[in-house]
Amino acid sequence: AQTVTQSQPEMSVQEAETVTLSCTYDTSESDYYLFWYKQPPSRQMILVIRQEAYKQQNATENRFSVNFQKAAKSFSLKISDSQLGDAAMYFCATILTYKYIFGTGTRLKVLA
Amino acid sequence: GAGVSQSPSNKVTEKGKDVELRCDPISGHTALYWYRQRLGQGLEFLIYFQGNSAPDKSGLPSDRFSAERTGESVSTLTIQRTQQEDSAVYLCASSSVTGSYEQYFGPGTRLTVT
Protein backbone atom coordinates (compact mmCIF):
# COMPACT_ATOMS: atom_id res chain seq x y z
CA ALA A 1 0.00 0.00 0.00
CA GLN A 2 1.10 3.53 -0.70
CA THR A 3 1.83 5.50 2.46
CA VAL A 4 3.13 8.93 3.36
CA THR A 5 4.63 9.61 6.78
CA GLN A 6 5.30 12.95 8.40
CA SER A 7 6.97 12.31 11.72
CA GLN A 8 7.01 15.90 12.98
CA PRO A 9 3.57 16.96 14.25
CA GLU A 10 4.87 20.45 14.97
CA MET A 11 7.92 22.55 14.18
CA SER A 12 8.99 26.06 15.12
CA VAL A 13 11.34 28.41 13.34
CA GLN A 14 12.56 31.90 14.03
CA GLU A 15 11.63 34.50 11.45
CA ALA A 16 14.32 34.74 8.72
CA GLU A 17 15.77 31.36 9.66
CA THR A 18 15.63 28.07 7.73
CA VAL A 19 13.53 25.06 8.61
CA THR A 20 13.24 21.58 7.12
CA LEU A 21 10.07 19.50 7.24
CA SER A 22 10.46 15.75 6.84
CA CYS A 23 8.44 13.34 4.75
CA THR A 24 8.96 9.71 3.87
CA TYR A 25 6.81 7.62 1.60
CA ASP A 26 6.41 4.11 0.39
CA THR A 27 5.37 3.23 -3.13
CA SER A 28 5.73 0.41 -5.59
CA GLU A 29 5.41 2.76 -8.54
CA SER A 30 8.46 3.55 -10.64
CA ASP A 31 7.24 6.94 -11.73
CA TYR A 32 5.19 9.21 -9.54
CA TYR A 33 4.74 12.76 -8.31
CA LEU A 34 5.36 14.16 -4.86
CA PHE A 35 3.81 17.33 -3.50
CA TRP A 36 3.94 19.67 -0.57
CA TYR A 37 0.73 21.53 0.19
CA LYS A 38 0.28 24.38 2.66
CA GLN A 39 -2.91 24.90 4.63
CA PRO A 40 -3.07 28.24 6.47
CA PRO A 41 -5.76 28.98 9.06
CA SER A 42 -8.04 30.04 6.22
CA ARG A 43 -8.26 26.29 5.34
CA GLN A 44 -7.38 26.87 1.69
CA MET A 45 -4.93 24.18 0.57
CA ILE A 46 -2.23 25.65 -1.65
CA LEU A 47 0.37 23.79 -3.66
CA VAL A 48 3.84 24.79 -2.50
CA ILE A 49 6.07 22.61 -4.65
CA ARG A 50 5.96 19.54 -6.84
CA GLN A 51 8.58 16.93 -7.71
CA GLU A 52 8.50 14.39 -10.50
CA ALA A 53 10.20 11.19 -9.41
CA TYR A 54 12.04 10.63 -12.68
CA LYS A 55 13.75 14.02 -12.35
CA GLN A 56 16.92 13.85 -10.31
CA GLN A 57 17.14 17.60 -9.86
CA ASN A 58 15.48 18.88 -6.70
CA ALA A 59 12.55 21.20 -7.31
CA THR A 60 12.82 24.82 -6.16
CA GLU A 61 10.21 27.55 -5.90
CA ASN A 62 11.65 30.80 -4.57
CA ARG A 63 12.29 30.25 -0.83
CA PHE A 64 10.99 26.67 -0.96
CA SER A 65 13.09 23.73 -2.06
CA VAL A 66 13.01 20.00 -1.64
CA ASN A 67 15.60 17.37 -0.88
CA PHE A 68 14.39 14.37 -2.86
CA GLN A 69 16.16 11.11 -2.07
CA LYS A 70 14.48 8.51 -4.26
CA ALA A 71 16.37 5.49 -2.98
CA ALA A 72 15.61 6.45 0.61
CA LYS A 73 12.03 7.44 -0.31
CA SER A 74 12.48 10.74 1.40
CA PHE A 75 11.05 14.09 0.33
CA SER A 76 11.83 16.91 2.74
CA LEU A 77 10.82 20.55 2.35
CA LYS A 78 13.23 23.35 3.16
CA ILE A 79 11.90 26.83 3.78
CA SER A 80 14.55 29.53 3.71
CA ASP A 81 14.23 33.02 5.15
CA SER A 82 11.05 32.03 6.99
CA GLN A 83 8.30 34.61 7.10
CA LEU A 84 5.34 35.01 9.43
CA GLY A 85 3.06 34.14 6.52
CA ASP A 86 4.66 30.72 6.27
CA ALA A 87 2.91 29.66 9.47
CA ALA A 88 0.52 26.89 8.46
CA MET A 89 -0.04 23.15 8.30
CA TYR A 90 2.13 21.51 5.69
CA PHE A 91 1.08 18.27 4.05
CA CYS A 92 3.26 15.96 2.02
CA ALA A 93 1.44 13.92 -0.62
CA THR A 94 1.93 11.49 -3.45
CA ILE A 95 -0.39 10.27 -6.15
CA LEU A 96 -1.31 6.68 -6.94
CA THR A 97 -2.95 6.60 -10.36
CA TYR A 98 -5.42 9.37 -9.58
CA LYS A 99 -5.76 9.04 -5.82
CA TYR A 100 -3.78 11.34 -3.59
CA ILE A 101 -2.26 9.96 -0.41
CA PHE A 102 -1.60 12.63 2.20
CA GLY A 103 0.57 12.58 5.29
CA THR A 104 -0.85 13.67 8.62
CA GLY A 105 0.74 17.09 8.40
CA THR A 106 3.28 19.22 10.23
CA ARG A 107 2.21 22.41 11.93
CA LEU A 108 4.81 25.12 11.37
CA LYS A 109 5.03 28.02 13.79
CA VAL A 110 7.07 31.06 12.86
CA LEU A 111 8.38 33.07 15.79
CA ALA A 112 8.87 36.82 15.44
CA GLY B 1 -10.23 32.18 -14.00
CA ALA B 2 -12.24 31.38 -10.90
CA GLY B 3 -10.99 28.78 -8.49
CA VAL B 4 -12.87 25.95 -6.84
CA SER B 5 -15.78 27.20 -4.80
CA GLN B 6 -17.75 25.46 -2.08
CA SER B 7 -20.95 26.28 -0.30
CA PRO B 8 -21.91 26.77 2.38
CA SER B 9 -18.69 27.79 4.10
CA ASN B 10 -20.11 26.77 7.45
CA LYS B 11 -23.03 24.53 8.33
CA VAL B 12 -24.43 23.75 11.75
CA THR B 13 -27.02 21.02 11.85
CA GLU B 14 -28.78 18.89 14.41
CA LYS B 15 -27.99 15.24 14.77
CA GLY B 16 -30.21 13.17 12.51
CA LYS B 17 -30.74 15.84 9.88
CA ASP B 18 -29.57 15.54 6.27
CA VAL B 19 -27.07 18.00 4.80
CA GLU B 20 -25.98 18.77 1.28
CA LEU B 21 -22.61 20.30 0.45
CA ARG B 22 -21.83 21.80 -2.91
CA CYS B 23 -18.65 22.07 -4.96
CA ASP B 24 -18.07 24.06 -8.15
CA PRO B 25 -14.84 22.89 -9.79
CA ILE B 26 -12.60 24.86 -12.08
CA SER B 27 -14.02 24.93 -15.57
CA GLY B 28 -12.46 22.27 -17.75
CA HIS B 29 -11.25 20.12 -14.88
CA THR B 30 -12.54 16.63 -15.45
CA ALA B 31 -11.44 15.19 -12.11
CA LEU B 32 -13.15 16.08 -8.84
CA TYR B 33 -12.38 14.85 -5.34
CA TRP B 34 -14.05 15.08 -1.96
CA TYR B 35 -12.03 14.83 1.25
CA ARG B 36 -12.89 14.94 4.92
CA GLN B 37 -10.58 16.64 7.38
CA ARG B 38 -11.29 16.15 11.06
CA LEU B 39 -9.89 18.68 13.50
CA GLY B 40 -6.10 18.48 13.60
CA GLN B 41 -6.02 15.58 11.17
CA GLY B 42 -4.91 15.00 7.60
CA LEU B 43 -7.11 14.64 4.55
CA GLU B 44 -9.25 11.53 4.26
CA PHE B 45 -10.25 10.59 0.72
CA LEU B 46 -13.97 10.15 0.24
CA ILE B 47 -14.83 9.95 -3.45
CA TYR B 48 -13.40 10.65 -6.90
CA PHE B 49 -15.18 11.58 -10.13
CA GLN B 50 -13.53 11.49 -13.54
CA GLY B 51 -15.62 12.64 -16.47
CA ASN B 52 -18.45 10.24 -17.17
CA SER B 53 -16.68 7.23 -15.66
CA ALA B 54 -18.06 5.42 -12.64
CA PRO B 55 -16.89 7.25 -9.51
CA ASP B 56 -14.48 5.72 -7.03
CA LYS B 57 -16.55 5.63 -3.85
CA SER B 58 -14.08 3.53 -1.88
CA GLY B 59 -13.50 6.23 0.73
CA LEU B 60 -17.11 6.87 1.72
CA PRO B 61 -17.32 5.89 5.41
CA SER B 62 -20.88 4.62 5.40
CA ASP B 63 -24.02 4.37 3.29
CA ARG B 64 -25.18 7.63 4.86
CA PHE B 65 -22.71 9.37 2.56
CA SER B 66 -23.37 9.82 -1.13
CA ALA B 67 -22.19 12.17 -3.86
CA GLU B 68 -23.26 13.10 -7.32
CA ARG B 69 -21.73 14.93 -10.20
CA THR B 70 -23.33 15.73 -13.52
CA GLY B 71 -20.78 15.56 -16.30
CA GLU B 72 -17.86 17.81 -15.50
CA SER B 73 -19.76 20.36 -13.49
CA VAL B 74 -21.05 20.84 -9.98
CA SER B 75 -20.86 18.08 -7.40
CA THR B 76 -22.92 17.62 -4.26
CA LEU B 77 -21.98 15.56 -1.22
CA THR B 78 -24.97 14.44 0.84
CA ILE B 79 -24.81 13.16 4.37
CA GLN B 80 -28.01 11.60 5.65
CA ARG B 81 -28.97 11.25 9.30
CA THR B 82 -25.91 13.19 10.43
CA GLN B 83 -23.99 12.04 13.47
CA GLN B 84 -21.65 14.01 15.70
CA GLU B 85 -18.66 12.14 14.30
CA ASP B 86 -19.49 13.65 10.91
CA SER B 87 -18.33 17.03 12.22
CA ALA B 88 -15.35 18.01 10.10
CA VAL B 89 -14.22 20.22 7.26
CA TYR B 90 -15.20 18.81 3.88
CA LEU B 91 -12.81 19.81 1.13
CA CYS B 92 -13.38 19.58 -2.58
CA ALA B 93 -10.61 19.62 -5.17
CA SER B 94 -10.48 19.48 -8.94
CA SER B 95 -7.70 18.74 -11.35
CA SER B 96 -6.85 18.14 -14.94
CA VAL B 97 -5.91 14.53 -15.62
CA THR B 98 -3.04 15.52 -17.82
CA GLY B 99 0.23 17.10 -16.86
CA SER B 100 1.20 17.45 -13.26
CA TYR B 101 -2.00 16.24 -11.58
CA GLU B 102 -1.96 19.27 -9.33
CA GLN B 103 -5.13 19.49 -7.29
CA TYR B 104 -6.83 22.82 -6.78
CA PHE B 105 -8.74 22.96 -3.54
CA GLY B 106 -11.80 24.85 -2.49
CA PRO B 107 -11.99 26.64 0.87
CA GLY B 108 -13.99 23.81 2.41
CA THR B 109 -17.25 23.54 4.29
CA ARG B 110 -17.04 23.30 8.05
CA LEU B 111 -19.81 21.00 9.23
CA THR B 112 -20.79 20.97 12.87
CA VAL B 113 -23.32 18.42 14.06
CA THR B 114 -24.87 19.28 17.42
Side-chain angles (χ1 to χ4, degrees):
Chain A
Q2 198 130 331
T3 59
V4 176
T5 302
Q6 293 180 251
S7 58
Q8 305 155 316
E10 190 171 293
M11 294 282 284
S12 296
V13 62
Q14 204 71 34
E15 196 176 5
E17 297 295 310
T18 296
V19 65
T20 298
L21 309 184
S22 300
C23 173
T24 58
Y25 61 94
D26 190 16
T27 181
S28 57
E29 302 293 312
S30 58
D31 191 19
Y32 47 91
Y33 288 88
L34 294 161
F35 307 85
W36 278 98
Y37 279 87
K38 170 185 177 181
Q39 187 180 40
S42 66
R43 298 197 309 242
Q44 186 85 45
M45 293 276 284
I46 303 163
L47 179 67
V48 174
I49 200 163
R50 169 179 56 236
Q51 175 79 42
E52 295 163 78
Y54 70 88
K55 289 187 177 179
Q56 294 186 343
Q57 186 172 7
N58 289 325
T60 300
E61 289 287 341
N62 300 314
R63 298 182 296 107
F64 298 87
S65 62
V66 299
N67 183 5
F68 175 47
Q69 301 289 329
K70 191 171 183 178
K73 296 182 178 177
S74 171
F75 182 61
S76 60
L77 175 69
K78 185 171 85 170
I79 306 174
S80 304
D81 186 24
S82 297
Q83 300 176 359
L84 295 177
D86 295 333
M89 284 289 289
Y90 286 82
F91 293 95
C92 178
T94 186
I95 187 165
L96 174 62
T97 313
Y98 55 80
K99 189 180 293 186
Y100 269 59
I101 310 296
F102 286 88
T104 52
T106 296
R107 181 174 301 281
L108 179 65
K109 295 185 176 181
V110 181
L111 309 173
Chain B
V4 178
S5 61
Q6 292 186 246
S7 61
S9 57
N10 288 284
K11 176 72 176 179
V12 180
T13 190
E14 292 181 353
K15 178 181 173 181
K17 301 283 189 182
D18 297 353
V19 295
E20 191 172 278
L21 312 181
R22 177 187 169 107
C23 172
D24 282 271
I26 292 173
S27 178
H29 279 186
T30 57
L32 186 146
Y33 302 75
W34 283 98
Y35 296 93
R36 179 170 68 180
Q37 186 178 28
R38 291 197 164 111
L39 186 64
Q41 303 293 312
L43 276 69
E44 178 186 358
F45 168 81
L46 295 178
I47 189 168
Y48 164 77
F49 294 93
Q50 168 49 38
N52 294 316
S53 301
D56 178 350
K57 304 180 182 180
S58 61
L60 295 178
S62 77
D63 58 8
R64 296 187 296 106
F65 288 72
S66 63
E68 292 183 350
R69 186 186 188 196
T70 304
E72 297 177 1
S73 61
V74 170
S75 175
T76 55
L77 176 68
T78 302
I79 308 173
Q80 297 178 308
R81 305 182 302 282
T82 52
Q83 304 293 313
Q84 287 186 331
E85 62 262 28
D86 299 334
S87 296
V89 173
Y90 290 83
L91 291 165
C92 174
S94 71
S95 72
S96 168
V97 292
T98 58
S100 64
Y101 303 97
E102 176 182 350
Q103 289 196 331
Y104 294 81
F105 284 82
T109 295
R110 181 180 297 281
L111 175 66
T112 303
V113 182
T114 60

